[in-house]
Amino acid sequence: MFKKVLIANRGEIAVRVMRTLKEMGIKSVAVYSDIDRKSLHVNVADEAYPLGGKTSAESYLVMEKIIEAAKKSGAEAIHPGYGFLSENEKFAKMCEENNIVFIGPPPKAIVSMGDKVTARRIMQEAGVPIIPGLEKDGLSEDEAFEFAKKVGFPVMIKASAGGGGKGMRKVENESDFSKFFRQAKSEALSSFGDDRVYIEKFLEEPRHIEIQILGDKHGNVIYLGERECSVQRRHQKVIEESPSPFIDEEMRRKMGETAVKAAKAVGYYNAGTVEFLVDKYKNFYFLEMNTRLQVEHPVTEWVTGIDLVEYQIRVAAGERLDIKQEDVKLKGHAIECRIYAEDPEKNFMPSPGKIERLLTPSGPGVRDDSGVFEGAEVSLYYDPMISKLTVFHRNRDMAIKRMLRALDEYVVAGIKTNIDFHKKVLTHPDFVKGKYDTTFIDNNIDSLLERDDKDRDVAIIAALIEYYSKEDKPSKKPVNKSSRWKDYAKNCWTI
Amino acid sequence: MEVSVKFGKNEFDANIEKRDNRFEVEFEGKKFIADFEPLSEKDGNLIVDGKSYHVIFTNNSVYVNGVHFDIETIDPLKKELLKSTMLEKDEGAIVTSMPGNVKRVLVQEGEEVEAGQPVVVLEAMKMENELEAPKSGVVKKVNVKENTPVEANTVLVEIE
């Protein structure tokens, strides 16, 4: 087993990986940009090496710097987390060339499955149903537009090298096509350094359901149930749950076996996720494969009792999986809410700044994977996700109630977050019934954004007490002998 | 103590007095007795009508049990003076509430725009955000160039 592992990432996922490393008796090495000197992951790690730079492009995406830090620290392996270099085949190869183990799939599998266009082709050859689409290198706007007219709107434009909703646009009509096509290309370029996009038909009432797989270097691959990820905004997942309220045992088996077949087709090992779109008739279509650990992996960990990061590390070290498919038993229900630094009332604009006060939930069945602390600065240079709150209970209804309780305990002051928005989703009748698809947020946005002002009077009382306390304090400033009118003019509204 | 309060679009006067460590508060025809216990410089516990609330104060906000409220409080006399000295807020200004990078400017000076039309694409936290025209009119001034960083509260585009 490894003695030291470097985590080529930041924030909550770096901390999450470090926790498992500690439990396994493995030393953890952090890397950090100039902005992240005070970040939580640096503090939690056993060792830390600076990368310099502010943006991801100047730090976490510079492969040479990461490799150099690994060599300097003597780390035998690198865990890439998610995002950044986690699905970068060049980086996986560079690790190999430097005798460092990349904790992830083989580079060949990253190429095959990481590139959405190639992945669709492989799946088609393997007989897995795929959504009608057009993918080719150098796809022009005109070609894409012709295809869209042929299959009919709405269509989806997606980054070939993409994921996480970046470089992805749904186009409802002809007049929006040009604008969204260009936006998707430009976002793909800035997010992945690759502006290739492809286009596909948008399924009506689609649900996004994904299968978690785990494989070793000895050809064993198992699936660990599914995650329902249909609560999305701008193609970014907001809430995930496992199991899905939509699928039954038989469908789970079919999807799971298809996912395993897909993984074996490319010689896959380590943790991976096969994403499917499921229509209302329970037909499922291959969407894409994520060749890395997913943000939402904790819900699978809750219901299977398996630490996915631990198995990623064991598999990377060459161990055989000690879990067989028949050993995998799903138990209870888990939900995840992604806590974003954003302002739902202002079109979900990111909200960077200082976390003035932070109270995180705990208690039975609650897990908060956080990358921040009270006093931390949420930087505008990185992703706005500050934590992942997950809960577990014996059934879905109880899990929803537990999540609402946990969200009530969660207080982040100083920046705006989507905590209240989550409460609105979790109490929406359609969500409670499990009857929702990927259009849920868009279709219910007005009711989900309604403010809860039941404690308005209490807030006003509090503001008045704060004002009174400030005014009541004898001023420490020297008495200003000039006209008070000037002071009044300088003042503005304050609490 | 007389205080002017602004909450959302509502402005009203309130009165607050302290007696025996309790606050007597009155506004909008309602009276409250509040027991406040500070827990730190930033927060405290408030008991009103037997109900217990955790309140947090930040620079310009109050949080009650985690729910955020923007409430402005001011001396009524200062408010009157401010009214007479402050310039009218320009409703045609497109202001960024956060720092970021101007990815694209979608309009030119002299161009006619509709309310809600995207005007500037601002990139921050790895996402592109479209800023829309607050009203219909003509673009009077474009103050930013593409691919340049901007600070929070910068007036990017002015529409008249």
Side-chain angles (χ1 to χ4, degrees), chain A residues 102-239:
Chain A
F102 176 77
I103 301 175
K108 184 172 70 85
I110 297 179
V111 177
S112 310
M113 287 306 215
D115 185 86
K116 311 296 174 257
V117 174
T118 314
R120 277 167 59 92
R121 209 163 29 237
I122 289 171
M123 295 313 285
Q124 216 166 354
E125 285 162 11
V128 175
I130 60 162
I131 302 159
L134 180 64
E135 74 267 339
K136 55 180 278 202
D137 282 343
L139 176 70
S140 72
E141 189 180 320
D142 289 346
E143 287 170 316
F145 186 60
E146 284 310 309
F147 174 83
K149 283 200 297 194
K150 195 174 80 185
V151 297
F153 286 89
V155 293
M156 291 293 289
I157 298 164
K158 295 180 181 181
S160 298
K166 310 272 194 306
M168 195 188 281
R169 289 289 184 277
K170 179 184 174 189
V171 191
E172 300 275 5
N173 52 54
E174 290 188 16
S175 59
D176 284 340
F177 189 86
S178 183
K179 180 176 80 170
F180 284 152
F181 186 85
R182 284 201 295 265
Q183 267 181 11
K185 270 182 99 70
S186 129
E187 214 172 80
L189 185 64
S190 60
S191 298
F192 313 109
D194 178 348
D195 77 343
R196 287 175 309 142
V197 293
Y198 67 97
I199 180 169
E200 63 184 27
K201 173 90 184 116
F202 181 81
L203 295 185
E204 302 290 350
E205 281 186 56
R207 292 180 84 114
H208 174 129
I209 299 173
E210 62 191 27
I211 300 283
Q212 175 70 53
I213 60 127
L214 193 57
D216 64 19
K217 292 179 178 177
H218 309 277
N220 303 301
V221 185
I222 57 171
Y223 65 92
L224 303 173
E226 78 285 359
R227 293 184 289 258
E228 168 79 66
C229 310
S230 298
V231 180
Q232 301 182 357
R233 201 190 69 81
R234 276 176 70 169
H235 313 293
Q236 284 223 321
K237 296 162 188 168
V238 178
I239 293 178

Side-chain angles (χ1 to χ4, degrees), chain B residues 60-117:
Chain B
N60 44 17
S61 306
V62 176
Y63 293 79
V64 177
N65 289 347
V67 179
H68 166 268
F69 294 86
D70 277 324
I71 298 165
E72 297 171 345
T73 48
I74 190 171
D75 178 326
L77 178 58
K78 286 180 191 169
K79 186 180 114 179
E80 287 307 311
L81 277 162
L82 268 174
K83 262 188 182 170
S84 58
T85 55
M86 263 174 70
L87 291 168
E88 277 292 301
K89 193 180 146 204
D90 182 5
E91 288 179 351
I94 290 138
V95 183
T96 169
S97 58
M98 58 181 298
N101 189 40
V102 176
K103 190 92 182 160
R104 281 191 300 283
V105 179
L106 308 170
V107 292
Q108 295 175 333
E109 284 174 16
E111 189 177 324
E112 279 196 22
V113 290
E114 296 285 318
Q117 181 182 330

Side-chain angles (χ1 to χ4, degrees), chain B residues 22-156:
Chain B
R22 286 183 160 206
F23 290 94
E24 291 179 10
V25 182
E26 197 173 337
F27 57 88
E28 295 175 321
K30 294 172 280 192
K31 288 184 182 178
F32 303 91
I33 305 286
D35 180 335
F36 179 72
E37 185 61 41
L39 300 172
S40 75
E41 275 192 7
K42 288 179 190 158
D43 65 343
N45 177 269
L46 185 61
I47 298 174
V48 182
D49 292 336
K51 294 194 181 87
S52 167
Y53 304 92
H54 179 217
V55 294
I56 299 174
F57 308 103
T58 59
N59 288 342
N60 44 17
S61 306
V62 176
Y63 293 79
V64 177
N65 289 347
V67 179
H68 166 268
F69 294 86
D70 277 324
I71 298 165
E72 297 171 345
T73 48
I74 190 171
D75 178 326
L77 178 58
K78 286 180 191 169
K79 186 180 114 179
E80 287 307 311
L81 277 162
L82 268 174
K83 262 188 182 170
S84 58
T85 55
M86 263 174 70
L87 291 168
E88 277 292 301
K89 193 180 146 204
D90 182 5
E91 288 179 351
I94 290 138
V95 183
T96 169
S97 58
M98 58 181 298
N101 189 40
V102 176
K103 190 92 182 160
R104 281 191 300 283
V105 179
L106 308 170
V107 292
Q108 295 175 333
E109 284 174 16
E111 189 177 324
E112 279 196 22
V113 290
E114 296 285 318
Q117 181 182 330
V119 173
V120 172
V121 179
L122 186 77
E123 187 184 45
M125 290 170 121
K126 292 165 77 182
M127 294 298 282
E128 290 189 9
N129 303 282
E130 281 188 344
L131 304 182
E132 295 167 348
K135 63 176 189 183
S136 299
V138 176
V139 177
K140 185 171 110 186
K141 209 156 179 280
V142 176
N143 298 320
V144 285
K145 288 194 174 74
E146 292 191 350
N147 299 316
T148 51
V150 286
E151 291 300 318
N153 302 320
T154 305
V155 178
L156 307 175

Side-chain angles (χ1 to χ4, degrees), chain A residues 56 84 166 169 179 183 186-187 190-191 234 236 341 346-352 356-357 359 374 378-384 408 410-416 420 423 451-453 455-469 471-472 485 488-489 491-495, chain B residues 1 3-7 10-12 14 16-18 23 25 27-28 30 32 34 36 42-43 46 48 53-75 77-79 81-82 97-100 103-104 118 123-131:
Chain A
S56 319
F84 294 147
K166 310 272 194 306
R169 289 289 184 277
K179 180 176 80 170
Q183 267 181 11
S186 129
E187 214 172 80
S190 60
S191 298
R234 276 176 70 169
Q236 284 223 321
K346 287 190 181 153
N347 197 23
F348 297 87
M349 182 74 94
S351 176
E356 303 279 353
R357 196 82 174 78
L359 295 161
E374 192 167 301
V378 178
S379 158
L380 67 102
Y381 289 98
Y382 309 117
D383 195 276
D408 274 345
Y410 213 137
V411 179
V412 185
I415 56 168
K416 300 277 172 43
D420 292 343
K423 293 180 195 174
R451 264 195 68 90
D452 177 8
D453 282 345
D455 291 330
R456 163 194 185 267
D457 287 355
V458 178
I460 291 164
I461 294 166
L464 288 165
I465 291 171
E466 164 81 344
Y467 177 86
Y468 183 97
S469 308
E471 292 294 307
D472 203 37
W485 293 103
Y488 285 148
N491 267 302
C492 57
W493 292 89
T494 55
I495 281 191
Chain B
M1 185 186 288
V3 189
S4 281
V5 178
K6 192 174 168 194
F7 175 71
N10 296 335
E11 286 187 41
F12 49 88
I16 177 164
E17 302 298 340
K18 195 175 182 183
F23 290 94
V25 182
F27 57 88
E28 295 175 321
K30 294 172 280 192
F32 303 91
F36 179 72
K42 288 179 190 158
D43 65 343
L46 185 61
V48 182
Y53 304 92
H54 179 217
V55 294
I56 299 174
F57 308 103
T58 59
N59 288 342
N60 44 17
S61 306
V62 176
Y63 293 79
V64 177
N65 289 347
V67 179
H68 166 268
F69 294 86
D70 277 324
I71 298 165
E72 297 171 345
T73 48
I74 190 171
D75 178 326
L77 178 58
K78 286 180 191 169
K79 186 180 114 179
L81 277 162
L82 268 174
S97 58
M98 58 181 298
K103 190 92 182 160
R104 281 191 300 283
E123 187 184 45
M125 290 170 121
K126 292 165 77 182
M127 294 298 282
E128 290 189 9
N129 303 282
E130 281 188 344
L131 304 182

Side-chain angles (χ1 to χ4, degrees), chain A residues 393-408:
Chain A
H393 218 308
R394 65 180 176 272
N395 61 40
R396 188 171 184 267
D397 285 350
M398 296 301 287
I400 291 173
K401 290 185 176 111
R402 180 161 280 172
M403 180 57 93
L404 284 164
R405 183 269 292 173
L407 288 165
D408 274 345

